[in-house]
Amino acid sequence: MGKVTMGVAVVGSAAVCAAAALIMRHRMRISNRCVTAADILKELEEKCATPASKLKQISDAMTVEMHAGLASEGGSKLKMLISYVDNLPTGEEQGVFYALDLGGTNFRVLRVQLTGKSSIECQEFAEVSIPPQLMVGDAETLFDYIAAELAKFVADESEKFQLLAGRQRELGFTFSFPVMQLSIDSGTLIRWTKGFSIEKMVGQDVVAHLAEAMKRQGVNMRVSALVNDTVGTLAGGRYGNKDVVAAVILGTGSNAAYVERAQAIPKWHGPPPKTGEMVINMEWGNFRSSHLPLTEYDNKLDSESLNPGEQIFEKMISGMYLGEILRRVLLRMAEDAALFGDTVPPKLKTQFILRTPEMSAMHHDTSPDLNVVGSKLKDVFDISDTPLPTRKIVVEICNIMATRGARLAAAGILGILKKTGRDTVRDGDIPDTVVAMDGGLYEHYTEYRHCLENTLHELLGDEVGKHVKLVLSTDGSGIGAALLAASHSQYV
Protein backbone atom coordinates (compact mmCIF):
# COMPACT_ATOMS: atom_id res chain seq x y z
CA MET A 1 0.00 0.00 0.00
CA GLY A 2 2.89 2.31 0.89
CA LYS A 3 4.53 1.59 -2.44
CA VAL A 4 1.36 2.47 -4.27
CA THR A 5 1.02 5.67 -2.32
CA MET A 6 4.63 6.51 -2.97
CA GLY A 7 4.21 5.72 -6.66
CA VAL A 8 1.20 7.99 -6.92
CA ALA A 9 3.11 10.72 -5.14
CA VAL A 10 6.07 10.35 -7.51
CA VAL A 11 3.82 10.41 -10.56
CA GLY A 12 1.97 13.40 -9.16
CA SER A 13 5.21 15.19 -8.45
CA ALA A 14 6.46 14.43 -11.94
CA ALA A 15 3.23 15.76 -13.43
CA VAL A 16 3.52 18.94 -11.40
CA CYS A 17 7.14 19.37 -12.50
CA ALA A 18 6.21 18.74 -16.13
CA ALA A 19 3.36 21.25 -15.93
CA ALA A 20 5.64 23.79 -14.28
CA ALA A 21 8.26 23.25 -16.98
CA LEU A 22 5.60 23.63 -19.67
CA ILE A 23 4.39 26.87 -18.12
CA MET A 24 7.97 28.12 -17.84
CA ARG A 25 8.72 27.27 -21.48
CA HIS A 26 5.47 28.96 -22.52
CA ARG A 27 6.37 32.08 -20.58
CA MET A 28 9.89 32.08 -22.03
CA ARG A 29 8.45 31.62 -25.53
CA ILE A 30 6.09 34.54 -25.00
CA SER A 31 8.97 36.62 -23.62
CA ASN A 32 11.14 35.72 -26.63
CA ARG A 33 8.31 36.58 -29.00
CA CYS A 34 7.85 39.98 -27.40
CA VAL A 35 11.54 40.69 -27.75
CA THR A 36 11.47 39.59 -31.38
CA ALA A 37 8.42 41.72 -32.16
CA ALA A 38 10.07 44.67 -30.42
CA ASP A 39 13.26 44.10 -32.42
CA ILE A 40 11.36 44.01 -35.70
CA LEU A 41 9.51 47.18 -34.73
CA LYS A 42 12.73 48.94 -33.73
CA GLU A 43 14.42 47.91 -36.98
CA LEU A 44 11.44 49.17 -39.00
CA GLU A 45 11.48 52.50 -37.20
CA GLU A 46 15.20 52.94 -37.85
CA LYS A 47 14.96 51.99 -41.54
CA CYS A 48 11.97 54.33 -42.08
CA ALA A 49 13.51 57.30 -40.27
CA THR A 50 13.15 60.63 -42.10
CA PRO A 51 15.09 63.31 -40.22
CA ALA A 52 14.99 66.82 -41.72
CA SER A 53 18.55 66.43 -43.01
CA LYS A 54 17.59 63.37 -45.06
CA LEU A 55 14.41 65.05 -46.35
CA LYS A 56 16.44 68.02 -47.57
CA GLN A 57 18.78 65.64 -49.40
CA ILE A 58 15.74 64.05 -51.04
CA SER A 59 14.28 67.43 -52.03
CA ASP A 60 17.66 68.47 -53.51
CA ALA A 61 17.76 65.21 -55.48
CA MET A 62 14.20 65.89 -56.70
CA THR A 63 15.25 69.34 -57.95
CA VAL A 64 18.29 67.91 -59.76
CA GLU A 65 16.11 65.32 -61.48
CA MET A 66 13.61 68.03 -62.47
CA HIS A 67 16.37 69.99 -64.21
CA ALA A 68 17.56 66.85 -66.01
CA GLY A 69 14.04 65.90 -67.12
CA LEU A 70 13.43 69.37 -68.54
CA ALA A 71 16.73 69.29 -70.43
CA SER A 72 16.07 66.22 -72.56
CA GLU A 73 13.71 63.29 -73.05
CA GLY A 74 14.97 60.31 -71.09
CA GLY A 75 17.44 62.43 -69.16
CA SER A 76 15.83 61.66 -65.83
CA LYS A 77 13.62 59.20 -63.97
CA LEU A 78 11.19 62.14 -63.87
CA LYS A 79 9.50 62.39 -67.26
CA MET A 80 8.76 66.15 -66.81
CA LEU A 81 6.13 65.92 -69.54
CA ILE A 82 5.08 69.03 -71.45
CA SER A 83 1.32 69.36 -71.02
CA TYR A 84 0.70 71.88 -73.84
CA VAL A 85 -1.28 73.87 -71.28
CA ASP A 86 0.30 77.31 -71.52
CA ASN A 87 -2.79 79.31 -70.71
CA LEU A 88 -4.79 78.32 -67.65
CA PRO A 89 -8.52 79.15 -67.33
CA THR A 90 -9.26 82.86 -66.93
CA GLY A 91 -12.80 82.79 -65.54
CA GLU A 92 -14.36 84.13 -68.74
CA GLU A 93 -15.34 80.70 -70.08
CA GLN A 94 -19.06 80.08 -70.72
CA GLY A 95 -21.29 77.12 -71.51
CA VAL A 96 -21.72 73.47 -70.54
CA PHE A 97 -18.60 71.32 -70.48
CA TYR A 98 -17.95 67.71 -69.54
CA ALA A 99 -15.05 65.89 -67.95
CA LEU A 100 -14.03 62.27 -67.71
CA ASP A 101 -11.56 61.48 -64.94
CA LEU A 102 -9.83 58.09 -65.28
CA GLY A 103 -7.05 57.44 -62.83
CA GLY A 104 -7.66 54.54 -60.51
CA THR A 105 -10.08 51.81 -59.61
CA ASN A 106 -12.98 54.21 -60.22
CA PHE A 107 -13.64 56.84 -62.85
CA ARG A 108 -15.80 59.96 -62.65
CA VAL A 109 -17.87 61.82 -65.19
CA LEU A 110 -19.11 65.32 -64.56
CA ARG A 111 -20.55 68.40 -66.23
CA VAL A 112 -20.36 72.05 -65.28
CA GLN A 113 -22.25 75.17 -66.31
CA LEU A 114 -19.87 78.12 -66.60
CA THR A 115 -21.15 81.69 -66.43
CA GLY A 116 -18.09 83.62 -67.61
CA LYS A 117 -17.77 85.29 -64.21
CA SER A 118 -15.15 83.05 -62.60
CA SER A 119 -17.85 80.87 -61.15
CA ILE A 120 -19.42 77.48 -61.72
CA GLU A 121 -23.17 77.93 -61.71
CA CYS A 122 -23.96 74.25 -61.24
CA GLN A 123 -22.31 70.87 -61.55
CA GLU A 124 -23.24 67.21 -61.49
CA PHE A 125 -21.12 64.10 -61.35
CA ALA A 126 -21.28 60.33 -61.16
CA GLU A 127 -18.67 57.81 -60.02
CA VAL A 128 -18.33 54.35 -61.51
CA SER A 129 -16.23 51.38 -60.36
CA ILE A 130 -14.06 49.62 -62.91
CA PRO A 131 -14.31 45.81 -62.80
CA PRO A 132 -10.83 44.40 -62.03
CA GLN A 133 -10.80 42.24 -65.16
CA LEU A 134 -11.10 45.34 -67.36
CA MET A 135 -7.90 46.77 -65.85
CA VAL A 136 -5.88 43.92 -67.37
CA GLY A 137 -8.05 43.03 -70.38
CA ASP A 138 -8.05 44.83 -73.72
CA ALA A 139 -8.36 48.53 -74.59
CA GLU A 140 -11.58 48.26 -76.62
CA THR A 141 -13.49 46.56 -73.81
CA LEU A 142 -12.26 49.07 -71.20
CA PHE A 143 -13.11 52.14 -73.27
CA ASP A 144 -16.47 50.75 -74.43
CA TYR A 145 -17.40 50.30 -70.78
CA ILE A 146 -16.37 53.90 -70.01
CA ALA A 147 -18.17 55.34 -73.06
CA ALA A 148 -21.36 53.43 -72.22
CA GLU A 149 -21.39 54.96 -68.73
CA LEU A 150 -20.71 58.38 -70.24
CA ALA A 151 -23.69 57.90 -72.59
CA LYS A 152 -25.95 57.20 -69.58
CA PHE A 153 -24.68 60.34 -67.87
CA VAL A 154 -25.34 62.52 -70.92
CA ALA A 155 -28.85 61.08 -71.27
CA ASP A 156 -29.64 62.18 -67.70
CA GLU A 157 -28.69 65.82 -68.27
CA SER A 158 -31.17 68.10 -66.48
CA GLU A 159 -32.75 71.26 -67.91
CA LYS A 160 -30.60 73.59 -65.82
CA PHE A 161 -27.64 72.82 -68.09
CA GLN A 162 -27.91 74.90 -71.26
CA LEU A 163 -25.75 73.86 -74.21
CA LEU A 164 -25.34 76.85 -76.52
CA ALA A 165 -27.21 76.45 -79.80
CA GLY A 166 -25.32 74.81 -82.66
CA ARG A 167 -22.52 73.54 -80.44
CA GLN A 168 -21.20 70.04 -80.00
CA ARG A 169 -20.62 68.84 -76.44
CA GLU A 170 -16.97 69.07 -75.44
CA LEU A 171 -15.02 67.02 -72.95
CA GLY A 172 -11.86 67.35 -70.91
CA PHE A 173 -10.26 63.92 -70.50
CA THR A 174 -8.26 63.46 -67.32
CA PHE A 175 -6.04 60.43 -67.94
CA SER A 176 -3.90 59.90 -64.85
CA PHE A 177 -1.18 57.73 -66.33
CA PRO A 178 2.17 58.64 -67.93
CA VAL A 179 1.40 60.00 -71.40
CA MET A 180 3.63 61.61 -74.02
CA GLN A 181 1.50 64.61 -74.92
CA LEU A 182 1.47 65.36 -78.66
CA SER A 183 -0.90 68.34 -78.44
CA ILE A 184 -3.56 69.64 -76.10
CA ASP A 185 -5.97 66.97 -77.37
CA SER A 186 -3.76 63.94 -78.08
CA GLY A 187 -1.13 61.85 -76.39
CA THR A 188 0.36 58.35 -76.39
CA LEU A 189 0.47 56.09 -73.35
CA ILE A 190 3.99 55.57 -71.97
CA ARG A 191 3.10 52.91 -69.41
CA TRP A 192 0.34 51.84 -67.08
CA THR A 193 0.44 52.31 -63.30
CA LYS A 194 -1.95 51.75 -60.35
CA GLY A 195 -2.70 48.14 -61.18
CA PHE A 196 -3.63 48.62 -64.86
CA SER A 197 -1.82 46.47 -67.41
CA ILE A 198 -3.08 46.50 -71.01
CA GLU A 199 0.19 46.13 -72.88
CA LYS A 200 -1.17 46.48 -76.42
CA MET A 201 -2.28 50.03 -75.65
CA VAL A 202 1.19 51.28 -74.72
CA GLY A 203 2.41 53.70 -77.40
CA GLN A 204 -1.11 54.38 -78.69
CA ASP A 205 -3.16 57.60 -78.63
CA VAL A 206 -5.52 57.43 -75.65
CA VAL A 207 -7.82 60.14 -77.06
CA ALA A 208 -8.29 58.17 -80.27
CA HIS A 209 -9.34 55.12 -78.22
CA LEU A 210 -11.89 57.18 -76.30
CA ALA A 211 -13.20 58.92 -79.43
CA GLU A 212 -13.73 55.60 -81.21
CA ALA A 213 -15.51 54.13 -78.18
CA MET A 214 -17.79 57.19 -77.90
CA LYS A 215 -18.65 56.80 -81.59
CA ARG A 216 -19.49 53.13 -81.09
CA GLN A 217 -21.71 54.02 -78.12
CA GLY A 218 -23.45 56.89 -79.95
CA VAL A 219 -21.99 59.73 -77.85
CA ASN A 220 -21.70 62.94 -79.92
CA MET A 221 -18.86 64.62 -78.05
CA ARG A 222 -15.42 66.03 -78.85
CA VAL A 223 -12.36 65.67 -76.63
CA SER A 224 -11.03 69.24 -76.40
CA ALA A 225 -8.29 68.66 -73.84
CA LEU A 226 -6.27 65.68 -72.65
CA VAL A 227 -4.88 66.36 -69.21
CA ASN A 228 -3.23 64.53 -66.37
CA ASP A 229 -5.08 64.64 -63.05
CA THR A 230 -2.46 66.92 -61.54
CA VAL A 231 -2.71 69.33 -64.47
CA GLY A 232 -6.49 69.31 -64.06
CA THR A 233 -6.16 69.94 -60.33
CA LEU A 234 -3.79 72.82 -61.05
CA ALA A 235 -6.27 74.34 -63.53
CA GLY A 236 -9.17 73.90 -61.12
CA GLY A 237 -7.20 75.47 -58.29
CA ARG A 238 -6.00 78.42 -60.38
CA TYR A 239 -9.59 79.14 -61.51
CA GLY A 240 -10.43 80.27 -57.98
CA ASN A 241 -7.00 81.32 -56.68
CA LYS A 242 -4.30 83.04 -58.73
CA ASP A 243 -1.61 82.03 -56.20
CA VAL A 244 -1.90 78.35 -57.13
CA VAL A 245 1.36 77.38 -58.85
CA ALA A 246 1.45 73.62 -58.32
CA ALA A 247 -0.78 70.63 -57.69
CA VAL A 248 -0.19 67.31 -55.98
CA ILE A 249 -2.33 64.18 -56.10
CA LEU A 250 -2.19 61.84 -53.13
CA GLY A 251 -4.73 59.12 -53.70
CA THR A 252 -4.49 55.62 -55.16
CA GLY A 253 -1.34 56.88 -56.89
CA SER A 254 0.64 60.09 -56.61
CA ASN A 255 1.89 62.77 -58.98
CA ALA A 256 2.64 66.47 -59.20
CA ALA A 257 2.42 69.28 -61.75
CA TYR A 258 3.55 72.89 -61.63
CA VAL A 259 3.91 76.06 -63.69
CA GLU A 260 7.38 76.42 -65.22
CA ARG A 261 9.04 79.27 -67.10
CA ALA A 262 9.20 78.39 -70.81
CA GLN A 263 12.84 79.52 -70.90
CA ALA A 264 13.67 76.84 -68.30
CA ILE A 265 12.57 73.99 -70.60
CA PRO A 266 15.49 73.27 -72.98
CA LYS A 267 13.67 70.31 -74.59
CA TRP A 268 10.77 72.53 -75.71
CA HIS A 269 11.24 73.22 -79.43
CA GLY A 270 7.87 74.72 -80.30
CA PRO A 271 6.98 78.40 -80.65
CA PRO A 272 7.38 80.36 -77.40
CA PRO A 273 4.14 80.34 -75.40
CA LYS A 274 2.48 83.76 -75.33
CA THR A 275 2.28 83.61 -71.55
CA GLY A 276 5.94 82.65 -71.23
CA GLU A 277 4.89 79.69 -69.09
CA MET A 278 4.08 76.01 -69.49
CA VAL A 279 2.48 73.51 -67.12
CA ILE A 280 4.75 70.51 -66.55
CA ASN A 281 3.44 67.10 -65.57
CA MET A 282 6.30 65.73 -63.48
CA GLU A 283 5.25 62.08 -63.13
CA TRP A 284 7.01 62.25 -59.78
CA GLY A 285 5.85 58.78 -58.77
CA ASN A 286 8.84 57.44 -60.73
CA PHE A 287 11.34 59.48 -58.71
CA ARG A 288 14.14 57.46 -57.18
CA SER A 289 17.12 58.44 -55.06
CA SER A 290 19.73 56.68 -52.94
CA HIS A 291 18.50 58.84 -50.07
CA LEU A 292 15.03 57.25 -50.00
CA PRO A 293 14.57 55.12 -46.85
CA LEU A 294 13.73 51.84 -48.57
CA THR A 295 13.15 48.71 -46.48
CA GLU A 296 13.06 44.99 -47.21
CA TYR A 297 9.26 45.27 -47.39
CA ASP A 298 9.45 47.97 -50.08
CA ASN A 299 11.97 46.00 -52.12
CA LYS A 300 9.91 42.83 -52.00
CA LEU A 301 6.69 44.68 -52.84
CA ASP A 302 8.44 46.28 -55.82
CA SER A 303 9.94 43.01 -57.11
CA GLU A 304 6.53 41.29 -56.97
CA SER A 305 4.63 44.20 -58.56
CA LEU A 306 3.39 44.56 -62.15
CA ASN A 307 6.10 47.20 -62.78
CA PRO A 308 9.26 46.24 -60.88
CA GLY A 309 11.85 48.98 -60.69
CA GLU A 310 9.33 51.68 -61.58
CA GLN A 311 7.21 54.13 -59.55
CA ILE A 312 9.38 53.68 -56.44
CA PHE A 313 8.39 57.03 -54.88
CA GLU A 314 4.70 56.31 -55.51
CA LYS A 315 5.04 52.88 -53.89
CA MET A 316 6.34 54.55 -50.72
CA ILE A 317 3.79 57.35 -50.34
CA SER A 318 0.50 56.55 -52.09
CA GLY A 319 -2.77 54.98 -51.03
CA MET A 320 -2.51 51.88 -53.18
CA TYR A 321 0.58 50.65 -51.35
CA LEU A 322 0.55 51.85 -47.70
CA GLY A 323 -1.87 49.15 -46.55
CA GLU A 324 0.06 46.48 -48.44
CA ILE A 325 3.37 47.48 -46.81
CA LEU A 326 1.63 47.30 -43.42
CA ARG A 327 0.40 43.78 -44.25
CA ARG A 328 3.91 42.67 -45.15
CA VAL A 329 5.28 43.93 -41.83
CA LEU A 330 2.50 42.15 -39.93
CA LEU A 331 3.19 38.95 -41.87
CA ARG A 332 6.85 38.98 -40.88
CA MET A 333 5.89 39.58 -37.26
CA ALA A 334 3.42 36.70 -37.44
CA GLU A 335 6.05 34.37 -38.96
CA ASP A 336 9.10 35.40 -36.92
CA ALA A 337 7.55 36.59 -33.66
CA ALA A 338 4.22 34.68 -33.57
CA LEU A 339 2.45 38.03 -33.13
CA PHE A 340 -0.94 36.39 -33.68
CA GLY A 341 -0.23 33.01 -32.10
CA ASP A 342 1.50 29.77 -33.08
CA THR A 343 -0.23 29.65 -36.49
CA VAL A 344 0.16 32.35 -39.14
CA PRO A 345 -3.35 33.51 -40.14
CA PRO A 346 -3.82 32.35 -43.78
CA LYS A 347 -5.40 35.59 -44.99
CA LEU A 348 -2.35 37.52 -43.80
CA LYS A 349 -0.53 36.01 -46.80
CA THR A 350 -2.98 37.49 -49.34
CA GLN A 351 -1.49 40.44 -51.20
CA PHE A 352 -3.40 43.74 -51.11
CA ILE A 353 -6.11 42.29 -48.85
CA LEU A 354 -5.46 45.18 -46.43
CA ARG A 355 -6.40 48.51 -47.99
CA THR A 356 -5.18 51.90 -46.83
CA PRO A 357 -8.67 52.99 -45.61
CA GLU A 358 -8.53 50.13 -43.08
CA MET A 359 -5.02 51.20 -42.11
CA SER A 360 -6.27 54.76 -41.63
CA ALA A 361 -9.16 53.57 -39.46
CA MET A 362 -6.79 51.61 -37.22
CA HIS A 363 -4.32 54.49 -37.02
CA HIS A 364 -7.09 56.88 -35.96
CA ASP A 365 -8.48 54.52 -33.30
CA THR A 366 -8.66 56.42 -29.99
CA SER A 367 -10.77 53.93 -28.02
CA PRO A 368 -9.16 52.70 -24.75
CA ASP A 369 -9.12 49.08 -25.89
CA LEU A 370 -8.40 49.91 -29.55
CA ASN A 371 -11.65 48.25 -30.56
CA VAL A 372 -11.43 49.48 -34.16
CA VAL A 373 -8.05 47.78 -34.55
CA GLY A 374 -9.49 44.55 -33.16
CA SER A 375 -12.51 44.64 -35.47
CA LYS A 376 -10.40 45.40 -38.57
CA LEU A 377 -8.02 42.53 -37.82
CA LYS A 378 -11.06 40.27 -37.46
CA ASP A 379 -12.83 41.54 -40.60
CA VAL A 380 -9.78 41.57 -42.88
CA PHE A 381 -7.67 38.67 -41.61
CA ASP A 382 -10.07 36.59 -39.48
CA ILE A 383 -7.82 37.22 -36.47
CA SER A 384 -9.95 37.13 -33.32
CA ASP A 385 -9.37 38.17 -29.72
CA THR A 386 -6.12 40.07 -30.20
CA PRO A 387 -4.70 41.32 -26.89
CA LEU A 388 -4.22 45.05 -26.33
CA PRO A 389 -0.38 44.93 -26.61
CA THR A 390 -0.73 43.39 -30.08
CA ARG A 391 -3.19 46.07 -31.12
CA LYS A 392 -0.80 48.75 -29.91
CA ILE A 393 1.96 47.26 -32.06
CA VAL A 394 -0.34 47.43 -35.11
CA VAL A 395 -1.09 51.11 -34.44
CA GLU A 396 2.61 51.84 -34.05
CA ILE A 397 3.38 50.25 -37.42
CA CYS A 398 0.58 52.32 -38.99
CA ASN A 399 2.17 55.45 -37.53
CA ILE A 400 5.65 54.57 -38.78
CA MET A 401 4.50 53.90 -42.34
CA ALA A 402 2.13 56.87 -42.60
CA THR A 403 4.73 59.23 -41.12
CA ARG A 404 7.38 58.09 -43.58
CA GLY A 405 5.00 58.50 -46.53
CA ALA A 406 3.78 61.94 -45.47
CA ARG A 407 7.28 63.28 -44.78
CA LEU A 408 8.56 62.00 -48.13
CA ALA A 409 5.62 63.71 -49.89
CA ALA A 410 6.55 66.95 -48.09
CA ALA A 411 10.14 66.58 -49.32
CA GLY A 412 8.82 66.22 -52.87
CA ILE A 413 6.82 69.45 -52.56
CA LEU A 414 9.89 71.19 -51.18
CA GLY A 415 11.76 70.06 -54.30
CA ILE A 416 9.20 71.86 -56.50
CA LEU A 417 9.43 75.01 -54.38
CA LYS A 418 13.23 74.91 -54.68
CA LYS A 419 13.03 74.57 -58.47
CA THR A 420 10.69 77.56 -58.75
CA GLY A 421 12.55 79.70 -56.21
CA ARG A 422 9.71 79.76 -53.71
CA ASP A 423 11.54 78.11 -50.83
CA THR A 424 13.40 81.14 -49.59
CA VAL A 425 13.36 84.93 -49.26
CA ARG A 426 14.56 86.63 -52.44
CA ASP A 427 15.25 90.37 -52.61
CA GLY A 428 13.31 90.78 -49.39
CA ASP A 429 10.16 89.34 -50.94
CA ILE A 430 8.29 86.13 -50.16
CA PRO A 431 5.55 85.34 -52.68
CA ASP A 432 2.34 83.72 -51.49
CA THR A 433 2.33 80.17 -52.78
CA VAL A 434 -0.61 77.76 -52.88
CA VAL A 435 -0.35 74.07 -53.76
CA ALA A 436 -3.68 72.53 -54.78
CA MET A 437 -4.08 69.07 -53.24
CA ASP A 438 -6.41 66.30 -54.34
CA GLY A 439 -6.85 62.59 -53.67
CA GLY A 440 -8.55 60.43 -51.08
CA LEU A 441 -5.36 59.74 -49.12
CA TYR A 442 -4.76 63.44 -48.46
CA GLU A 443 -8.43 64.20 -47.90
CA HIS A 444 -9.38 61.35 -45.58
CA TYR A 445 -6.21 60.14 -43.83
CA THR A 446 -6.05 62.92 -41.23
CA GLU A 447 -2.83 61.80 -39.51
CA TYR A 448 -1.08 61.59 -42.88
CA ARG A 449 -2.31 65.04 -43.94
CA HIS A 450 -1.33 66.76 -40.69
CA CYS A 451 2.10 65.14 -40.74
CA LEU A 452 2.68 66.29 -44.34
CA GLU A 453 1.65 69.88 -43.58
CA ASN A 454 3.70 70.07 -40.38
CA THR A 455 6.76 68.57 -42.09
CA LEU A 456 6.64 71.06 -44.96
CA HIS A 457 6.45 73.94 -42.47
CA GLU A 458 9.36 72.41 -40.53
CA LEU A 459 11.49 72.22 -43.70
CA LEU A 460 10.65 75.75 -44.88
CA GLY A 461 10.94 77.47 -41.51
CA ASP A 462 8.49 79.94 -39.99
CA GLU A 463 9.32 82.95 -42.19
CA VAL A 464 8.71 81.19 -45.53
CA GLY A 465 6.35 78.54 -44.22
CA LYS A 466 3.60 81.00 -43.37
CA HIS A 467 3.47 82.06 -47.03
CA VAL A 468 3.02 78.50 -48.35
CA LYS A 469 -0.37 76.80 -48.11
CA LEU A 470 -1.69 73.41 -49.10
CA VAL A 471 -5.36 73.68 -50.11
CA LEU A 472 -7.69 70.74 -50.67
CA SER A 473 -9.22 70.90 -54.12
CA THR A 474 -11.99 68.33 -53.96
CA ASP A 475 -12.53 66.75 -57.38
CA GLY A 476 -10.11 69.36 -58.69
CA SER A 477 -8.81 67.10 -61.44
CA GLY A 478 -12.29 66.57 -62.91
CA ILE A 479 -13.45 70.18 -62.66
CA GLY A 480 -10.05 71.33 -63.94
CA ALA A 481 -10.41 69.10 -67.00
CA ALA A 482 -13.83 70.61 -67.76
CA LEU A 483 -12.35 74.11 -67.36
CA LEU A 484 -9.48 73.25 -69.71
CA ALA A 485 -11.98 71.86 -72.21
CA ALA A 486 -13.70 75.24 -72.05
CA SER A 487 -10.51 77.27 -72.43
CA HIS A 488 -9.46 75.09 -75.40
CA SER A 489 -12.92 74.84 -76.97
CA GLN A 490 -13.13 74.65 -80.77
CA TYR A 491 -15.50 77.60 -80.57
CA VAL A 492 -13.07 79.95 -78.80
Side-chain angles (χ1 to χ4, degrees):
M1 186 71 178
K3 292 181 179 179
V4 173
T5 302
M6 184 177 293
V8 171
V10 170
V11 171
S13 177
V16 170
C17 290
L22 184 63
I23 292 171
M24 183 62 69
R25 284 198 300 271
H26 181 66
R27 287 177 177 173
M28 288 179 65
R29 190 162 62 246
I30 291 175
S31 176
N32 289 337
R33 288 174 182 175
C34 290
V35 171
T36 306
D39 287 345
I40 293 173
L41 193 63
K42 182 180 179 181
E43 178 190 45
L44 179 70
E45 194 168 17
E46 291 173 350
K47 291 288 182 66
C48 292
T50 50
S53 57
K54 179 179 283 289
L55 293 178
K56 288 179 179 178
Q57 289 177 318
I58 292 170
S59 66
D60 288 341
M62 178 76 78
T63 303
V64 169
E65 290 296 314
M66 291 171 72
H67 278 284
L70 291 173
S72 63
E73 298 297 347
S76 165
K77 277 286 188 180
L78 297 180
K79 292 295 183 182
M80 302 301 287
L81 302 174
I82 295 170
S83 70
Y84 288 82
V85 174
D86 61 346
N87 194 12
L88 292 163
T90 63
E92 298 178 2
E93 295 81 11
Q94 298 183 54
V96 178
F97 295 91
Y98 281 76
L100 167 63
D101 188 349
L102 174 62
T105 53
N106 300 319
F107 69 89
R108 290 173 291 178
V109 288
L110 69 127
R111 53 181 155 246
V112 297
Q113 180 81 51
L114 305 179
T115 64
K117 299 177 182 178
S118 294
S119 65
I120 298 173
E121 185 174 296
C122 49
Q123 59 180 293
E124 293 178 342
F125 76 95
E127 187 163 340
V128 183
S129 296
I130 300 176
Q133 65 270 20
L134 296 188
M135 297 169 63
V136 294
D138 63 86
E140 186 172 308
T141 304
L142 172 64
F143 279 92
D144 275 348
Y145 177 77
I146 293 170
E149 293 296 330
L150 181 59
K152 294 177 188 177
F153 188 68
V154 172
D156 290 338
E157 185 172 280
S158 61
E159 295 180 358
K160 60 186 176 183
F161 291 90
Q162 301 296 321
L163 185 68
L164 297 179
R167 289 196 174 187
Q168 181 185 24
R169 286 183 174 82
E170 294 183 283
L171 173 94
F173 183 19
T174 302
F175 188 74
S176 308
F177 303 91
V179 167
M180 179 58 68
Q181 201 98 12
L182 305 175
S183 66
I184 189 60
D185 59 0
S186 65
T188 59
L189 175 65
I190 297 173
R191 67 176 177 275
W192 289 105
T193 58
K194 308 171 194 174
F196 282 76
S197 182
I198 304 174
E199 288 302 319
K200 290 184 178 180
M201 195 176 158
V202 174
Q204 297 185 15
D205 187 349
V206 297
V207 173
H209 275 281
L210 177 59
E212 290 165 5
M214 288 194 298
K215 187 176 180 180
R216 287 193 296 269
Q217 297 297 326
V219 181
N220 182 21
M221 189 177 291
R222 174 181 177 269
V223 179
S224 299
L226 171 66
V227 298
N228 182 268
D229 53 354
T230 45
V231 176
T233 298
L234 177 54
R238 178 67 75 89
Y239 189 72
N241 189 331
K242 303 305 179 187
D243 292 328
V244 172
V245 297
V248 172
I249 302 293
L250 283 167
T252 303
S254 184
N255 193 15
Y258 74 105
V259 180
E260 180 61 273
R261 295 176 298 108
Q263 292 179 337
I265 313 174
K267 69 181 181 181
W268 171 253
H269 300 300
K274 292 180 181 179
T275 61
E277 296 178 329
M278 178 68 71
V279 175
I280 297 296
N281 166 21
M282 290 176 61
E283 291 298 332
W284 86 351
N286 206 41
F287 171 68
R288 186 165 192 168
S289 165
S290 60
H291 300 297
L292 290 175
L294 288 162
T295 67
E296 61 182 273
Y297 312 103
D298 300 297
N299 293 329
K300 195 168 183 183
L301 182 151
D302 175 52
S303 66
E304 295 174 1
S305 69
L306 292 172
N307 54 346
E310 302 292 334
Q311 301 298 113
I312 300 300
F313 194 54
E314 180 177 78
K315 288 171 182 173
M316 298 180 76
I317 70 173
S318 75
M320 181 170 181
Y321 301 100
L322 288 178
E324 171 61 7
I325 296 172
L326 171 61
R327 181 198 68 82
R328 289 171 180 268
V329 177
L330 293 177
L331 177 59
R332 186 189 167 198
M333 284 191 166
E335 292 175 336
D336 295 354
L339 184 65
F340 301 112
D342 293 329
T343 304
V344 177
K347 286 190 175 181
L348 198 55
K349 299 178 181 180
T350 304
Q351 293 189 16
F352 291 96
I353 191 174
L354 179 64
R355 302 180 310 120
T356 299
E358 278 83 33
M359 172 180 170
S360 173
M362 292 191 291
H363 193 179
H364 292 140
D365 188 0
T366 57
S367 62
D369 295 329
L370 297 176
N371 293 325
V372 174
V373 176
S375 65
K376 293 298 180 185
L377 292 174
K378 175 68 171 66
D379 295 342
V380 178
F381 300 119
D382 285 340
I383 301 173
S384 303
D385 303 321
T386 48
L388 184 58
T390 297
R391 299 181 188 188
K392 287 182 177 180
I393 289 174
V394 173
V395 174
E396 184 58 29
I397 300 170
C398 290
N399 186 60
I400 291 171
M401 304 318 306
T403 297
R404 183 189 70 164
R407 287 177 68 81
L408 290 177
I413 294 174
L414 178 61
I416 298 174
L417 299 180
K418 283 177 177 287
K419 177 65 180 69
T420 54
R422 292 174 174 267
D423 66 317
T424 187
V425 180
R426 294 181 185 274
D427 300 323
D429 181 49
I430 305 176
D432 288 331
T433 298
V434 175
V435 180
M437 306 292 295
D438 195 10
L441 179 63
Y442 180 82
E443 181 177 2
H444 301 299
Y445 201 146
T446 308
E447 290 288 341
Y448 186 104
R449 181 174 70 250
H450 288 170
C451 181
L452 193 163
E453 293 167 348
N454 293 336
T455 301
L456 185 59
H457 191 92
E458 170 194 346
L459 295 173
L460 289 169
D462 291 339
E463 188 176 11
V464 176
K466 64 184 178 183
H467 290 275
V468 177
K469 294 181 180 179
L470 306 183
V471 176
L472 178 63
S473 179
T474 306
D475 197 29
S477 60
I479 292 173
L483 293 171
L484 288 170
S487 63
H488 293 85
S489 168
Q490 60 186 319
Y491 304 107
V492 173

